[in-house]
Amino acid sequence: MTPPPRPAHGEARRSARLEQRVLSLADFEAAARRRLPRSIFGYVQGGVEDNLTREANREAFVRRRLMPGTMKDVSGRSTAIELFGRTHGVPFGIAPMGGAALAWRGGDLALAAAADAFGAPFILTASSTVRLEEVARVAPGAWFEIHTLSDRDRLAAMADRLERAGIEVLVVMADVPVLGNRENNQRIGFTMPPKPSLRLMLDGLGHPRWVLGTAAATLVRDGMPHFENADHGIRAPMIARSQPPMVRDRPSLEDLAFLRRRWKGRLVVKGVLDPADAARARDAGVDGLIVSNHGGRQLDGAVASLDALEEMAASVSGLTLMLDGGVRRGTDVLKALACGARFVFLGRPFMFALAAAGGAGVRHAFSILKAETARDMAMMGINRPEEMAARHIRAAP
Ligand SMILES: Cc1cc2nc3c(=O)[nH]c(=O)nc-3n(C[C@H](O)[C@H](O)[C@H](O)COP(=O)(O)O)c2cc1C
């Protein structure tokens, strides 16, 4: 863990304001809505179609209640937890998210540095605009996520590049054989990558802090952002009329097994919900899974992450199970651990925190969730996150 950089003057002021105004992760959403153009805010917040699965992720947490523990000495408690040979300061990290550069200049780096300051993993997505080598320098515990398995030469080249950069955990995104029906993006005029349009310009005009602080600052200081880590090997500009096609709909278990042989670090598959798929991934040599429905951004009506996790933990052994989707409170972190997760990830709350106040915002998000988790652990009567177990959960009446 590298010590957090000393905040610049503007950052210190931003941090003080944040501490007064943002008391929970939910508060970041309102702050991000104020700063971001409507289309970019909608891209982050939205799910697909009727948002059934995005909402189901939250409901699954609400449906479960905690059984607190009393008369226990919890004075020596710690949120630290071991995962894949590293001790992390907290049992949660940042899920892979494309588009961080739209929220804040150099967004991927700000997310990575904030996670590192809390000893938490940040998963850099292949659709990122900061070179993975630079991210690994700022955050040596960062993970990397690839989006395709189809080209073995490229897989091998990427495995070598990651190894040279010192990345220890490689994540394979499994739940985007095709892009989900992001109808909400169409309604609000958002395309990924963003295409310059009159509508986008007018949207920006209503949000001058974003236009000056993010869009103009990026273009003037860094030039046009490019996808620096695309696993299909093409360094495309982020804003373009068209993007190179990506084949994602024919990955096979043999491709995964090939990657397993080629990649010496830990291998994780993200986006698995079905226990039968989990068993197949384990048999291909995968170390861990992130049980996830992509935050409700792929198949609308898919099962909630927490429900899938509980089912998977009961029927599949020999894998490190992690979860993302709908985690917003320390109590949610503990519920997920009780349902069988070793670790959890959050997406939108960290992106909203980034959009609201850059690195200071993401660090504040980490402190809020860490404080909640530590406080809730005391009331649960536990000293270590891994003490959470099925006996701590009841179904809501
Ligand atoms: C703006 C945005 C971009 C995302 N991009 C990716 C991505 O590139 N790869 C991926 O596997 N998941 C991606 N996701 C899904 C997240 O990794 C994660 O599964 C989801 O956000 C978790 O749900 P939560 O937002 O409720 O915490 C993205 C999510 C958001 C909000």
Side-chain angles (χ1 to χ4, degrees):
M1 206 192 311
T2 40
R6 246 151 77 105
H9 186 59
E11 278 234 334
R13 248 201 346 255
R14 248 194 317 269
S15 303
R17 257 206 322 266
L18 273 177
E19 275 162 37
Q20 282 170 359
R21 289 194 194 160
V22 176
L23 304 179
S24 71
L25 293 191
D27 294 336
F28 280 114
E29 186 168 334
R33 190 192 283 274
R34 284 194 294 275
R35 189 175 172 278
L36 290 177
R38 211 168 92 85
S39 57
I40 295 178
F41 175 80
Y43 157 70
V44 178
Q45 187 208 37
V48 281
E49 296 181 354
D50 303 313
N51 290 324
L52 296 179
T53 296
R54 187 190 66 180
E55 299 313 313
N57 281 345
R58 285 297 309 138
E59 284 155 17
F61 283 101
V62 177
R63 263 190 279 117
R64 287 169 176 83
R65 301 286 155 86
L66 290 164
M67 183 58 77
T70 55
M71 295 172 284
K72 310 252 174 74
D73 177 358
V74 289
S75 56
R77 70 195 180 281
S78 160
T79 56
I81 191 162
E82 198 264 349
L83 176 69
F84 294 144
R86 260 184 192 258
T87 301
H88 295 287
V90 286
F92 51 85
I94 305 183
M97 284 179 289
L102 298 174
W104 198 264
R105 175 178 165 241
D108 296 303
L109 265 189
L111 288 168
D116 183 75
F118 284 81
F122 160 67
I123 311 180
L124 181 68
T125 165
S127 30
S128 47
T129 57
V130 177
R131 282 180 63 75
L132 66 90
E133 289 77 5
E134 209 180 323
V135 168
R137 245 191 324 273
V138 166
W143 302 7
F144 185 78
E145 180 196 62
I146 57 168
H147 290 177
T148 56
L149 277 176
S150 49
D151 183 326
R152 291 196 178 183
D153 289 343
R154 293 215 182 285
L155 276 183
M158 187 51 104
D160 292 344
R161 182 176 168 194
L162 292 170
E163 205 183 321
R164 279 196 303 276
I167 300 268
E168 293 165 6
V169 184
L170 172 56
V171 179
V172 177
M173 180 176 80
D175 55 358
V176 189
V178 295
L179 201 62
N181 183 13
R182 310 243 169 122
E183 175 182 292
N184 65 314
N185 288 348
Q186 269 171 278
R187 291 186 205 283
I188 55 179
F190 180 84
T191 53
M192 185 63 169
K195 289 188 187 134
S197 69
L198 183 64
R199 189 170 173 182
L200 197 64
M201 257 175 58
L202 292 176
D203 193 0
L205 284 180
H207 297 85
R209 282 199 300 147
W210 178 85
V211 170
L212 294 174
T214 301
T218 302
L219 290 173
V220 170
R221 296 207 213 160
D222 313 325
M224 171 66 73
H226 282 67
F227 290 114
E228 299 287 354
N229 308 304
D231 48 62
H232 52 64
I234 301 161
R235 187 178 172 270
M238 192 179 191
I239 299 180
R241 290 244 158 242
S242 66
Q243 288 290 312
M246 204 191 294
V247 180
R248 298 196 272 213
D249 60 355
R250 49 171 196 249
S252 69
L253 269 186
E254 289 73 46
D255 295 326
L256 196 58
F258 167 80
L259 185 60
R260 174 66 294 176
R261 289 193 298 279
R262 198 63 183 63
W263 169 249
K264 299 188 196 74
R266 308 290 180 144
L267 188 59
V268 168
V269 175
K270 173 175 182 282
V272 177
L273 296 165
D274 184 344
D277 287 348
R280 292 195 307 144
R282 178 199 55 205
D283 296 345
V286 162
D287 299 294
L289 293 184
I290 303 179
V291 180
S292 166
N293 48 37
H294 221 101
R297 295 163 77 88
Q298 280 298 108
L299 180 67
D300 204 27
V303 61
S305 300
L306 190 62
D307 291 330
L309 168 76
E310 202 172 44
E311 190 181 332
M312 204 178 282
S315 58
V316 186
S317 57
L319 278 170
T320 299
L321 298 182
M322 295 160 278
L323 164 136
D324 76 20
V327 177
R328 300 294 180 264
R329 289 281 188 187
T331 48
D332 298 336
V333 174
L334 297 185
K335 285 176 185 175
L337 300 190
C339 289
R342 176 75 183 174
F343 205 85
V344 303
F345 290 91
L346 291 82
R348 294 178 184 87
F350 284 124
M351 191 65 102
F352 288 141
L354 177 73
V362 187
R363 285 196 297 278
H364 188 46
F366 268 105
S367 352
I368 288 175
L369 198 58
K370 181 176 180 174
E372 285 184 0
T373 304
R375 188 186 300 115
D376 298 336
M377 282 171 60
M379 291 186 277
M380 289 302 297
I382 62 167
N383 282 299
R384 298 280 172 271
E386 57 266 43
E387 287 175 49
M388 286 303 297
R391 67 183 173 81
H392 290 118
I393 291 279
R394 297 290 184 282

